[in-house]
Amino acid sequence: MRIVDLRSDTLTRPTAAMRAAMAAAEVGDDVYGEDPTVRRLEHMAAALSGKAAALFVASGTMANLVSQLAYCGRGDELILGDQSHVFYYEQGGCAAVGGIHPRTVPTQPDGTLDLAAVEAAVRGDDIHFPVSRLLILENTHNRCNGTPLNVAYMQRAGTLARRCGLKLHVDGARLFNAAVALGVPAAALAAPADSVAFCLSKGLAAPVGSLVCGSVAFIARARRMRKQIGGGMRQAGVLAAAGIVALEEMVARLAEDHQNARDLACALALTDGLRLDPDRVYTNIVFFDVVHPALTAAALAAKLDARGVRVLALGPRSLRAVTHYHITADDIAWTIDTIRSVLGAC
Ligand code: TLP
């Protein structure tokens, strides 16, 4: 049966070039700093993000966690959006592992935080209060249709963070999607931040891995935190080799994923029983609501699954489809036909 799996771009499998690079990778013990392939990947990541240093970690969740641990001690406060991945999907790692107190402000529909609300959330110098240390932004914003945060906004956020004595960390799991969609270098989006994390294992199709990028001192601290939570990876060059191919070969083609997402969104917007605004789809993530009276999101996802189209039900009426390397324009056309046929039969 034909399967078009749109549940996530994390489903991407390594390319032939990645597998070849993995097989040939020169390796060493990375906990001793002796894996040449990991070092090369970290240098590439630092250069691409415009930061002085970088650290290879197992996942986006680990990248965000070591960053929070590097900046904050127990009882310190961290400001982040209520729809952010760190707050929503990372098991409260900051609190569970680091004793860090998360303070949310509402995420706006375009993935930004109202900077006046951020400023109002920064604590004053009062013996009753935790100390505000860190602001986290997400670019692109997963739960807000994969919307990219632009350079001007990032600069305003960076200025505010500095003025308020906060560090700024960017969860850029899909930073290169943002850069490609906006037509700017990733480094321009990262410049106002103290640190940025990005993933190799999503649209860039590497099997495993994320990078955290920042100053030399920050990365040294993050490296300690990675070891503390068990993330030292030894001959990780076999994984880093795929990551190098991802950065060299897979960034520019993200534009195809964005076009496919937009084509999907435009067609779904014209489909009875569904609701979405295609003008809010900028990258590879399409959220849509089912408004058909006889269907919930879970019921529609199950019916589509039976026909080979996989999407995620993420709320009572809300579904998510993510385009990626293995999804062709023909897959999108077939998906649209299948969704219309399933809805037509309800
Ligand atoms: N997102 C996954 C799920 O966890 C929801 C997905 O399928 O989209 N930051 C952002 C913005 C992310 O979207 C994700 C993964 C992460 C961090 C965590 O990355 P991993 O899965 O590598 O820990």
Side-chain angles (χ1 to χ4, degrees):
M1 186 170 92
R2 182 172 182 175
I3 304 271
V4 175
D5 201 335
L6 297 160
R7 287 172 300 165
S8 183
D9 48 8
T10 60
L11 292 154
T12 46
R13 298 176 301 277
T15 63
M18 289 178 190
R19 288 179 186 271
M22 293 170 83
E26 226 188 302
V27 296
D29 191 327
D30 182 52
V31 173
Y32 290 88
E34 291 174 5
D35 188 303
T37 311
V38 172
R39 281 179 160 179
R40 205 174 134 223
L41 173 64
E42 290 177 342
H43 280 123
M44 279 178 78
L48 282 169
S49 64
K51 302 295 179 200
L55 178 71
F56 184 46
V57 295
S59 65
T61 303
M62 187 181 278
N64 289 329
L65 182 59
V66 298
S67 302
Q68 293 167 82
L69 294 172
Y71 289 127
C72 303
R74 300 189 70 78
D76 285 344
E77 196 164 71
L78 136 74
I79 300 171
L80 75 180
D82 62 355
Q83 298 299 312
S84 64
H85 194 279
V86 171
F87 184 67
Y88 216 94
Y89 289 124
E90 298 185 11
Q91 279 203 39
C94 62
V97 181
I100 304 163
H101 192 234
R103 174 117 186 241
T104 55
V105 298
T107 304
Q108 304 185 109
D110 66 356
T112 62
L113 304 181
D114 173 7
L115 295 178
V118 171
E119 187 161 10
V122 177
R123 305 284 190 160
D125 182 13
D126 182 310
I127 196 173
H128 298 86
F129 293 159
V131 177
S132 308
R133 293 265 185 229
L134 177 61
L135 170 63
I136 299 185
L137 296 174
E138 185 173 316
N139 199 4
T140 64
H141 200 292
N142 184 337
R143 288 180 57 82
C144 297
N145 288 299
T147 306
L149 277 53
N150 64 32
V151 172
Y153 176 79
M154 296 306 299
Q155 286 171 343
R156 283 202 303 280
T159 302
L160 174 80
R162 277 191 300 282
R163 181 153 54 78
C164 297
L166 302 175
K167 297 293 184 189
L168 173 58
H169 172 74
V170 175
D171 172 1
R174 298 183 180 83
L175 184 71
F176 290 101
N177 293 86
V180 167
L182 296 168
V184 299
L189 294 169
D194 296 282
S195 54
V196 62
F198 65 81
C199 294
L200 302 167
S201 57
K202 300 194 165 63
L204 302 185
V208 177
S210 296
L211 276 302
V212 190
C213 312
S215 70
V216 170
F218 165 77
I219 291 299
R221 175 108 183 108
R223 194 178 292 280
R224 286 189 71 86
M225 296 300 106
R226 183 187 71 172
K227 191 75 183 80
Q228 187 173 63
I229 61 173
M233 289 195 291
R234 309 299 176 183
Q235 287 74 37
V238 288
L239 300 173
I244 290 169
V245 176
L247 291 177
E248 283 174 345
E249 296 182 4
M250 305 300 280
V251 172
R253 65 150 306 284
L254 292 173
E256 290 171 39
D257 299 343
H258 300 173
Q259 186 60 52
N260 283 336
R262 197 152 170 90
D263 291 346
L264 178 65
C266 289
L268 296 186
L270 299 173
T271 301
D272 284 343
L274 301 180
R275 190 173 56 206
L276 79 153
D277 179 359
D279 289 335
R280 290 189 55 225
V281 175
Y282 298 99
T283 62
N284 66 331
I285 299 182
V286 181
F287 275 89
F288 56 100
D289 285 340
V290 53
V291 291
H292 191 292
L295 280 174
T296 61
L300 178 57
K303 283 179 187 294
L304 292 175
D305 189 51
R307 297 277 299 269
V309 171
R310 295 190 181 148
V311 295
L312 281 185
L314 288 176
R317 303 234 144 250
S318 168
L319 296 117
R320 186 186 81 164
V322 183
T323 56
H324 54 77
Y325 180 56
H326 303 299
I327 304 295
T328 63
D330 187 61
D331 289 330
I332 294 296
W334 185 76
T335 297
I336 293 162
D337 287 348
T338 306
I339 292 177
R340 286 183 174 164
S341 142
V342 164
L343 280 165
C346 288

